[in-house]
Amino acid sequence: MKSRENLVRLKQFQVSEKRRQLMQLDMMIAEFDRMATELELQIEAEEKKAGITDINHFAYPTFAKAARLRRDNLKNSKSDLMQQRAAAESLLDEAEAELSKAELLESRDGKTRDVAATGRSAMIG
């Protein structure tokens, strides 16, 4: 049953691809967290240097405003990535279930072939 072996290989490839995508999303989420933390530290340093923490103050540092905007964008992007990660995780679970079914079918077919081959050799001998 060559087709079953090919099916199992295909399902294994799909599972490994889904795992790779999940790892990639995890890395991006971690990177966005790191960048947002760095921006937060820069914002605090800039506010401390200027002595102004009120965003609506006319002399609030422009760099701090831009850094806040970037940090907020990173947080929104992280939220979107978390949703993508949840979807990717469910797709991985589905792919693993399909792989399990394919492996079960192949092992069942292998046992059937072994029993048939043993039966034939007993009839010949």
Side-chain angles (χ1 to χ4, degrees):
M1 292 284 156
K2 199 75 160 158
S3 63
R4 296 259 193 240
E5 292 172 15
N6 289 340
L7 178 65
V8 169
R9 270 202 316 254
L10 173 66
K11 297 300 178 185
Q12 287 172 338
F13 175 76
Q14 289 174 343
V15 166
S16 66
E17 183 65 20
K18 301 290 183 204
R19 283 187 183 138
R20 186 192 62 75
Q21 290 173 352
L22 200 59
M23 281 188 349
Q24 194 172 29
L25 285 170
D26 286 339
M27 287 175 20
M28 289 173 66
I29 289 168
E31 181 67 14
F32 283 8
D33 271 341
R34 185 192 62 75
M35 290 168 53
T37 303
E38 285 179 7
L39 285 170
E40 187 66 41
L41 293 173
Q42 290 176 357
I43 292 166
E44 289 173 9
E46 192 69 22
E47 287 176 347
K48 186 176 180 181
K49 187 171 83 174
I52 301 170
T53 57
D54 181 17
I55 300 169
N56 296 319
H57 191 277
F58 72 93
Y60 188 77
T62 307
F63 175 77
K65 282 183 185 177
R68 278 185 181 279
L69 183 62
R70 179 132 195 256
R71 183 204 55 204
D72 293 344
N73 286 341
L74 283 170
K75 286 183 178 182
N76 290 337
S77 296
K78 178 190 168 195
S79 175
D80 292 344
L81 286 176
M82 293 296 283
Q83 291 174 353
Q84 288 180 23
R85 188 190 187 290
E89 210 166 27
S90 68
L91 289 174
L92 174 61
D93 290 342
E94 289 175 19
E96 286 175 338
E98 289 176 10
L99 172 61
S100 169
K101 288 177 189 175
E103 287 173 339
L104 186 64
L105 282 173
E106 189 202 8
S107 69
R108 188 180 67 193
D109 286 349
K111 289 178 185 175
T112 305
R113 278 181 269 152
D114 292 343
V115 169
T118 308
R120 273 189 246 128
S121 64
M123 285 187 227
I124 295 172

